[in-house]
Amino acid sequence: MPKILPLHRITRFTRFTRFSLRDFIVAAGPAALAVLVTGLLAYWLVDPAPPKKIVMATGQENSAYEALGRRYAEALRQYDVELELRPTLGSRENLERLRQPDSGVDVGFVQSGSTAQEDAQRNGLVSLGSLFTEPVWLFTRKDVTRLSQLKGMRINVGPEGTGLPGLFRTILSVNGVEPDSLRLRDMQNTPATVALLEGRIDGLVFSSSPDAPLIQMLLQTPGIRLFDFAQAQAYTRRFPFLTHVTLPRGIVDLGRDIPSRDFQLIAPTATLVAHESLHPALVDLLVQTAASVHGGAGWFQKQGEFPTASYSEIPVAEAAVRFYQGDKPFLQRYLPFWLANFLQRMWVVVVALGALIIPLSRIIPPLYVWKVRSRVYRWYGQLREVEQAVDEAQATDRAEVYGRQLQRLNEIEERVNRISIPLSFADELYGLRSHINFVRRRLLALMPQAGRAAQQ
């Protein structure tokens, strides 16, 4: 069993070390404080931490946008990010809120074709990617094969905030149908669906993904007919923001063969739009969430086809472009979101500290040496005072002066013997002690002479 040293021997042993932690702390303390303050300023000011709350503009009640907003909120909750959902009339209102910096909205769903590239850049808007196609669904109570047959009918196109009224008017105009020849309504989706089922209107128009509950219900309701855009390819040539999609036969219900044939539809795409001030880390997180929500196969898309940087007239954010190119942040592949983000942001701190650490690394060692040696050198000042007092003593009182200085010299030696100094500087301490003895020998040699002089 190893022998344990007594406490007093351990204490005595620790006094004789090659390094003085106390002196190092005193020498490096101001520099360390400067580095710490600079690091904190760089951390909070140069690249602030991403907020833990995002505000998203969604859509109407029972709309696909509202359902998707809930899925996004649930997905972001696992990263400790709160997603506040704000219901709106739809795409156009979402776009207006994003244009207003004081609206508090950070991100929202917007249909393609809602704004021009120049307008988006002027208002500081960026796309996080196209998410899915939103077919234009025209449901009627009568068989309609051409849009010109809608003249005189009561058709609900939804409130202006949805963006669909403008799109549908454009579709009517290229078919030679004046919007004034229809009795257009502006009810929201749910009351408009009830009105259609009760016969108070003749048709209604949606622009939504097939996941919307109202779309699912109307596709399976007897007596409600879906309009077939037989000229879908021509629409996509006239309007680049539209795509041609096919609703396959039996996709709604294979057993009941609903629908009983293929339907051709035209579709803008839903885009996730944010303000350019949104933190890049949150852009990464939202794009990753979009990939998990929209990356599967659907009625109108193949596995992995969405989300994508295509089909958007709004410039795509750089962080989103990197993601779609397969360049997911390295640390986020292996670490939790907040830890990966913290380590990524620490590079900013390292750069900020580099300008301080390199020069300080050259200053601190000399300061440390000076601090240790100052505990020895300051006694040389008192030795010099003793010698000066001896040299300036008058002949009549030299014996008294010499005695007083000898006592003072003994006190200096006693205090010097209590100095704790690293072993690497021991030569400085022993040199001081030898110089004290030198002054003592000189003083003792002068004292008999002073005594004889006093007697004469």
Side-chain angles (χ1 to χ4, degrees):
M1 182 175 180
K3 183 177 180 181
I4 300 176
L5 294 176
L7 180 61
H8 70 278
R9 293 190 61 185
I10 295 176
T11 305
R12 185 175 63 182
F13 176 77
T14 56
R15 291 178 57 194
F16 304 107
T17 61
R18 299 188 61 84
F19 181 78
S20 174
L21 179 61
R22 183 185 65 179
D23 291 314
F24 179 79
I25 292 175
V26 172
L33 181 61
V35 169
L36 178 62
V37 171
T38 303
L40 290 175
L41 287 175
Y43 185 82
W44 292 111
L45 298 180
V46 177
D47 189 12
K52 291 194 173 184
K53 181 179 179 180
I54 310 173
V55 179
M56 171 182 279
T58 55
Q60 300 179 45
E61 182 182 3
N62 294 323
S63 67
Y65 287 171
E66 182 193 46
L68 286 172
R70 291 195 295 267
R71 292 182 63 183
Y72 273 71
E74 182 179 355
L76 292 175
R77 195 173 296 118
Q78 64 179 318
Y79 300 103
D80 296 326
V81 175
E82 178 188 355
L83 183 64
E84 179 185 333
L85 304 179
R86 292 192 182 176
T88 64
L89 293 176
S91 174
R92 186 176 295 275
E93 183 178 345
N94 292 351
L95 187 60
E96 288 300 321
R97 293 195 182 189
L98 287 168
R99 285 170 174 163
Q100 300 170 2
D102 57 350
S103 67
V105 173
D106 302 305
V107 63
F109 299 110
V110 177
Q111 273 187 355
S112 61
S114 299
T115 185
Q117 180 177 352
E118 296 76 12
D119 179 71
Q121 292 176 331
R122 184 168 55 253
N123 289 280
L125 303 182
V126 292
S127 168
L128 305 189
S130 299
L131 308 177
F132 53 90
T133 54
E134 289 190 294
V136 176
W137 310 85
L138 173 57
F139 293 99
T140 60
R141 297 181 62 87
K142 301 177 182 179
D143 284 327
V144 176
T145 58
R146 298 190 310 274
L147 291 179
S148 59
Q149 295 174 313
L150 297 177
K151 292 180 179 180
M153 288 188 182
R154 298 163 297 179
I155 305 297
N156 186 80
V157 295
E160 289 294 332
T162 63
L164 182 58
L167 175 61
F168 190 65
R169 290 189 183 97
T170 301
I171 293 173
L172 290 176
S173 65
V174 296
N175 282 273
V177 179
E178 292 295 331
D180 294 341
S181 64
L182 283 70
R183 290 180 286 174
L184 300 181
R185 301 289 188 269
D186 59 359
M187 292 183 289
Q188 295 190 23
N189 293 341
T190 301
T193 302
V194 174
L196 178 67
L197 296 177
E198 293 177 350
R200 290 186 282 114
I201 59 175
D202 302 306
L204 60 83
V205 183
F206 284 124
S207 180
S208 176
S209 73
D211 300 331
L214 295 178
I215 299 293
Q216 292 281 334
M217 182 192 69
L218 290 171
L219 287 172
Q220 303 179 62
T221 301
I224 302 299
R225 296 164 178 81
L226 176 64
F227 179 77
D228 184 9
F229 285 87
Q231 300 169 308
Q233 285 287 357
Y235 282 102
T236 60
R237 299 296 190 274
R238 295 285 297 271
F239 306 104
F241 60 88
L242 294 177
T243 57
H244 171 208
V245 296
T246 301
L247 182 67
R249 175 178 177 177
I251 189 67
V252 179
D253 192 321
L254 286 170
R256 293 188 293 166
D257 194 26
I258 301 175
S260 58
R261 62 183 178 87
D262 290 351
F263 278 80
Q264 309 306 314
L265 302 174
I266 57 175
T269 57
T271 305
L272 191 60
V273 178
H275 200 274
E276 61 184 1
S277 61
L278 186 65
H279 197 284
L282 294 181
V283 172
D284 285 333
L285 189 58
L286 284 168
V287 174
Q288 294 173 40
T289 302
S292 65
V293 172
H294 307 287
W299 285 13
F300 305 117
Q301 67 191 54
K302 299 177 182 179
Q303 179 79 25
E305 185 177 355
F306 286 96
T308 176
S310 305
Y311 311 121
S312 177
E313 69 277 14
I314 301 175
V316 182
E318 293 183 6
V321 171
R322 290 195 298 268
F323 178 86
Y324 295 127
Q325 292 174 346
D327 189 17
K328 182 179 179 180
F330 176 77
L331 293 177
Q332 291 188 25
R333 301 175 191 174
Y334 309 101
L335 298 175
F337 169 72
W338 289 106
L339 178 58
N341 176 257
F342 172 78
L343 294 178
Q344 288 171 350
R345 293 168 57 229
M346 284 301 293
W347 287 108
V348 178
V349 179
V350 171
V351 172
L353 296 183
L356 280 177
I357 293 176
I358 294 177
L360 288 178
S361 64
R362 300 178 180 179
I363 297 174
I364 292 177
L367 284 176
Y368 168 74
V369 172
W370 173 83
K371 184 66 179 69
V372 175
R373 287 179 173 175
S374 66
R375 289 156 57 186
V376 174
Y377 291 163
R378 66 190 183 91
W379 294 105
Y380 279 100
Q382 298 201 30
L383 278 182
R384 189 69 188 91
E385 290 178 3
V386 170
E387 288 188 306
Q388 188 174 2
V390 170
D391 293 338
E392 294 178 354
Q394 301 295 325
T396 56
D397 58 354
R398 283 178 181 173
E400 180 183 354
V401 171
Y402 290 171
R404 188 165 58 250
Q405 296 304 318
L406 181 61
Q407 182 180 358
R408 182 181 179 185
L409 198 61
N410 292 335
E411 293 175 354
I412 292 174
E413 184 178 35
E414 182 180 354
R415 296 177 66 180
V416 167
N417 289 336
R418 293 199 296 266
I419 294 177
S420 176
I421 200 168
L423 294 178
S424 56
F425 295 89
D427 58 337
E428 310 283 350
L429 179 60
Y430 282 100
L432 173 62
R433 293 172 65 179
S434 65
H435 293 155
I436 293 174
N437 286 329
F438 172 78
V439 175
R440 178 185 285 109
R441 288 194 301 269
R442 180 191 172 200
L443 188 56
L444 291 175
L446 291 174
M447 287 183 69
Q449 301 176 13
R452 289 193 298 271
Q455 291 176 359
Q456 295 175 0

